[in-house]
Every structure is written in structure tokens, then in C-alpha cells.
């Protein structure tokens, strides 16, 4: 970016009344102006305006003045805003269950693989690039950090958090036990204990750092793929994209950002047969498909009913296309099929 070519920001901050006057001049109706003022006073126009954008005639910044479509009311945007808010809460509840199951499943996998209770401190299963690979990675990204550097940084943060904790069960462990296998981190507990300090992002970093080749068996099968199957995927590499999708959505939900029509990194859905696949794979619908696969493996129930109830409550059916939903998504057998494997 050439800072010499951009202008200093000097735009005036509008009051709530000025915002409403501006929106009226652009063709937006206000059937309940008192309610609109209350909403805009609790949030900010900068945050709320993204829920007004779908109702504009054009989103091209060159098209001025801005103009709303005919017969659009402030309450139409408010419905989208409230839909996004409740959708965020719903997704957080799903993701929290999947995250707990992920921690448990990871731990059990490594214990069963003979890596012990302190497997997260073992460098042996972390991908370490060769000198040639490292040069290639650095060429593409000068700020590239090796997986081991990333994991080591996470371990140090976990150590600091654990040692500062005054929780009784943590104090009990610190006063009674030590890790006999990893001298540098001998004060740290087993994964099932330390994972309570870990964010979903840190767990994703651990998953992405795994050297998959370590887990190839004599049959040429990869035992990590069996772990993926417990989440409804067939390949561990596919599961990584699913978990990263959850992390991205969780971050948006946790920071009260727009979820419903945002862009996301595409997830790999080769495992899942869809009658009506999305034409916009980088939107919410694709991640919901992956989330549903994982949630179903845990609870044996699909999330479709909750989604439909929320969509109908706020009358947002016309906005589903921008979320990547196919027109006939509710008819896809994917959402009603009782399946063990969905290939």
C-alpha cells in the first residue's frame, strides 16, 4: 500500500439522529423510529451498516448517492442483525461440544498410539521441514515459522498459564507431581489436564503441525484417518480443514462479528455426498455441512431443525443464497439421513 496516495481520515462521526436522517434520504423507511434509535444507541452505525448493505440497490462504492431498494424498512435489517446474533450463539453451542470431544479424542488417539500422557510435549510427531523445504517455505513467506517453533511457543504459554493458576486442582498437581519425560516442561501436567487452558486455535495449531508420515502403518493406511472417521470425515487432511473452519467461525461469533454472509476459507467436503452442493464453497453453508457431520457423530442428531427454526423466526430466507445455501437445501437427504458413514 502506498500511503502517499491515500487521504487522511477526517470524516465526521454522525449522531444517531443524523444517521437516521441520512438513511431516510437514501430511501430507508422507519416504521418504528424509537426502536431504531434504541438499536443504534446500543451498537454503532459502523457495525450495523453491514446488515443494511443487502438492501441497497448497489454495493459499488462508485455508485452515489446510495439508494435502498423499494419498500425496505429498518426492521428488515434489524431482523438480519438479530438472526446473526442468535445464529452466533447457536453455533458457539455446537462448537463447544465438538471442541470438548476433539480434546478427548486427540488425547485418546495419542495414548493408544503409545505416545503417553504427555504426548503434546513430544517433538517426535511434529513435522520438521528439511533444509530444502525450509528454503522453499521462506521463499514463499519470509515470515514463515516452522511447526516446531509454533508448538514450542504454545507450550511456553501453557506453562506460564499453568504456573500462575491458583485453582485448587492445579495447585494440587504442582505440589504433588512432575512430568518425568520432558525436563524443560517437567512442571506441566498430562494433556487431559493442560487442555483446559488451550484455545481452539492452539489445538488447531497442534493438529496442523502433526507429521502425518509418522502414523503410516505397514498396510500403508494412516491411523490418523481413523481418528478423522470418528468425526465423520475419511481423511485426516480433510478434518484439518473442518476444524479450521470451526475456528474461523468461532472467532467471528466470539467477537460478535458478521457470520451469516461472510467469506471463509473453503473446507474440503470430498467425504460428503450432497445432492445439492453449494455454488459458493467459501460461504457459511459449506462449514455448516462439516459442522453437522461432526455434531452428528457426537449426538446422532442433525442441526437442520435448529437452523430452519431460526431462519423462519427472522424471515431471512431471501438472504440464504449469500450464505451459500442452495435453493433446495432442505430437500437434500444429507440433512435427514441416519448414517454411520456418509460416503
Amino acid at each position: 500500500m502506498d500511503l502517499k496516495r491515500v487521504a487522511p481520515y477526517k470524516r465526521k462521526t454522525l449522531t444517531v439522529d443524523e444517521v437516521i436522517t441520512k438513511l431516510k434520504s437514501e430511501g430507508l423507511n422507519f416504521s418504528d423510529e424509537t426502536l431504531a434509535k434504541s438499536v443504534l444507541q446500543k451498537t454503532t452505525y459502523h457495525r450495523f451498516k453491514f446488515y443494511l448493505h443487502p438492501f441497497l440497490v448497489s454495493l459499488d462504492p462508485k455508485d452515489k448517492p446510495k439508494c435502498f431498494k423499494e419498500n425496505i424498512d429498518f426492521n428488515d435489517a434489524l431482523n438480519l442483525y438479530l438472526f446473526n446474533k442468535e445464529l452466533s450463539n447457536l453455533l458457539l453451542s455446537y462448537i463447544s461440544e465438538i471442541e470438548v470431544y476433539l480434546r478427548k479424542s486427540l488425547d485418546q488417539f495419542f495414548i493408544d498410539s503409545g505416545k503417553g500422557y504427555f504426548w503434546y510435549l513430544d517433538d517426535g510427531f511434529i513435522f520438521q521441514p528439511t533444509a530444502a523445504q525450509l528454503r522453499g517455505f521462506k521463499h514463499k513467506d519470509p515470515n514463515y515459522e516452522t511447526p516446531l517453533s509454533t508448538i514450542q511457543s504454545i507450550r511456553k504459554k501453557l506453562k506460564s498459564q499453568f504456573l500462575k493458576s491458583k485453582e485448587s486442582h492445579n495447585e494440587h498437581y504442582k505440589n504433588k507431581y512432575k512430568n518425568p519425560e520432558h525436563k524443560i516442561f517437567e512442571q506441566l501436567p498430562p494433556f487431559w489436564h493442560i487442555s483446559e487452558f488451550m484455545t481452539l486455535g492452539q489445538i488447531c495449531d497442534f493438529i496442523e503441525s502433526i507429521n502425518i508420515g509418522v502414523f503410516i502403518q505397514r498396510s500403508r493406511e494412516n491411523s490418523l484417518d481413523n481418528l478423522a472417521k470418528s468425526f465423520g470425515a475419511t481423511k485426516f487432511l480433510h478434518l484439518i480443514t473442518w476444524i479450521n473452519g470451526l475456528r474461523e467461525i468461532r472467532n467471528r461469533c466470539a467477537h460478535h462479528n458478521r457470520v451469516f454472509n461472510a467469506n471463509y476459507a473453503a473446507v474440503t467436503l470430498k467425504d460428503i455426498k450432497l445432492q445439492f452442493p453449494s455454488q459458493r464453497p467459501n460461504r457459511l453453508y459449506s462449514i455448516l455441512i462439516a459442522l453437522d457431520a461432526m455434531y452428528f457423530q457426537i449426538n446422532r442428531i442433525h442441526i437442520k431443525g435448529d437452523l430452519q427454526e431460526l431462519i423462519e423466526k427472522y424471515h431471512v430466507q431471501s438472504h440464504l443464497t449469500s450464505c451459500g445455501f442452495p435453493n433446495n437445501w432442505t430437500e437434500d437427504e444429507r440433512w435427514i439421513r441416519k448414517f454411520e458413514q456418509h460416503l
Side-chain angles (χ1 to χ4, degrees):
M1 178 186 296
D2 184 0
L3 293 179
K4 294 180 180 179
R5 300 182 63 183
V6 297
Y9 186 85
K10 295 182 179 180
R11 297 182 67 178
K12 175 189 172 185
T13 301
L14 300 179
T15 66
V16 169
D17 287 334
E18 288 173 333
V19 167
I20 291 176
T21 299
K22 171 182 177 295
L23 294 174
K24 284 181 177 179
S25 71
E26 294 169 350
L28 184 65
N29 298 324
F30 287 83
S31 57
D32 189 338
E33 194 166 319
T34 301
L35 174 62
K37 286 183 179 181
S38 175
V39 171
L40 292 174
Q41 285 167 348
K42 292 176 184 176
T43 180
T44 65
Y45 175 58
H46 175 74
R47 177 180 291 274
F48 192 82
K49 69 180 180 181
F50 293 104
Y51 303 91
L52 290 164
H53 283 175
F55 302 100
L56 289 169
V57 172
S58 172
L59 283 174
D60 190 335
K62 296 178 182 178
D63 292 341
K64 293 183 178 181
K66 291 181 181 177
C67 181
F68 285 92
K69 300 171 185 175
E70 289 187 16
N71 301 319
I72 299 299
D73 191 273
F74 179 88
N75 285 349
D76 295 320
L78 180 58
N79 274 342
L80 265 185
Y81 180 81
L82 295 175
F83 168 72
N84 190 81
K85 182 178 179 180
E86 286 200 34
L87 177 63
S88 295
N89 292 334
L90 185 63
L91 293 177
L92 281 175
S93 71
Y94 295 146
I95 293 170
S96 66
E97 288 196 53
I98 295 170
E99 183 179 349
V100 170
Y101 187 69
L102 177 62
R103 293 179 186 181
K104 170 260 179 188
S105 300
L106 271 178
D107 198 29
Q108 193 62 54
F109 171 81
F110 281 103
I111 291 172
D112 292 346
S113 299
K115 304 299 181 182
Y117 298 137
F118 300 93
W119 59 266
Y120 69 101
L121 300 172
D122 184 357
D123 295 344
F125 70 88
I126 303 297
F127 172 72
Q128 299 189 48
T130 64
Q133 288 174 323
L134 184 58
R135 286 194 297 271
F137 293 145
K138 287 284 189 181
H139 179 72
K140 291 181 179 178
D141 179 8
N143 297 318
Y144 171 80
E145 288 190 6
T146 65
L148 187 56
S149 296
T150 299
I151 297 306
Q152 196 71 348
S153 177
I154 293 173
R155 290 167 179 165
K156 290 177 181 178
K157 289 178 183 177
L158 293 174
K159 179 179 179 179
S160 176
Q161 289 176 284
F162 181 69
L163 294 181
K164 288 178 182 178
S165 174
K166 300 300 180 183
E167 291 279 352
S168 59
H169 62 289
N170 294 326
E171 290 287 297
H172 173 75
Y173 182 91
K174 286 183 282 188
N175 292 329
K176 192 170 182 179
Y177 302 105
K178 68 177 182 179
N179 166 10
E181 301 175 26
H182 303 277
K183 188 68 176 177
I184 298 176
F185 299 105
E186 65 179 357
Q187 293 164 297
L188 288 181
F191 179 81
W192 58 263
H193 192 144
I194 200 66
S195 67
E196 297 302 317
F197 289 86
M198 297 178 73
T199 66
L200 181 57
Q202 289 173 331
I203 292 174
C204 286
D205 286 337
F206 263 97
I207 290 173
E208 287 189 305
S209 299
I210 293 174
N211 183 356
I212 297 177
V214 171
F215 297 93
I216 295 178
Q217 302 169 335
R218 290 183 179 179
S219 61
R220 305 307 298 168
E221 293 182 357
N222 196 307
S223 56
L224 284 167
D225 291 340
N226 293 327
L227 174 63
K229 289 174 184 176
S230 68
F231 287 90
T234 56
K235 298 292 182 182
F236 184 70
L237 290 175
H238 299 173
L239 179 64
I240 290 175
T241 71
W242 294 12
I243 302 299
N244 273 322
L246 294 194
R247 170 167 61 176
E248 191 174 0
I249 279 198
R250 187 190 180 285
N251 288 343
R252 281 187 166 272
C253 293
H255 293 95
H256 317 293
N257 292 331
R258 181 168 44 88
V259 173
F260 76 99
N261 67 347
N263 285 315
Y264 299 93
V267 296
T268 301
L269 297 179
K270 294 179 181 179
D271 299 334
I272 299 177
K273 288 183 178 179
L274 294 170
Q275 291 174 285
F276 311 110
S278 175
Q279 299 303 308
R280 306 180 75 176
N282 65 327
R283 290 300 177 107
L284 176 65
Y285 185 76
S286 294
I287 298 182
L288 290 179
I289 291 291
L291 188 154
D292 178 71
M294 292 184 276
Y295 190 79
F296 186 89
Q297 291 297 119
I298 301 168
N299 296 302
R300 293 303 175 197
I301 186 171
H302 291 287
I303 66 173
K304 175 187 174 185
D306 290 336
L307 292 176
Q308 278 188 293
E309 183 178 341
L310 201 56
I311 289 165
E312 292 168 5
K313 178 179 179 180
Y314 290 106
H315 312 289
V316 295
Q317 291 87 343
S318 62
H319 300 281
L320 295 182
T321 300
S322 68
C323 305
F325 282 68
N327 291 333
N328 42 3
W329 74 276
T330 58
E331 301 170 18
D332 199 311
E333 291 182 3
R334 162 71 204 172
W335 292 105
I336 59 176
R337 191 164 66 242
K338 295 181 180 180
F339 54 89
E340 292 296 327
Q341 293 292 326
H342 45 271
L343 299 179

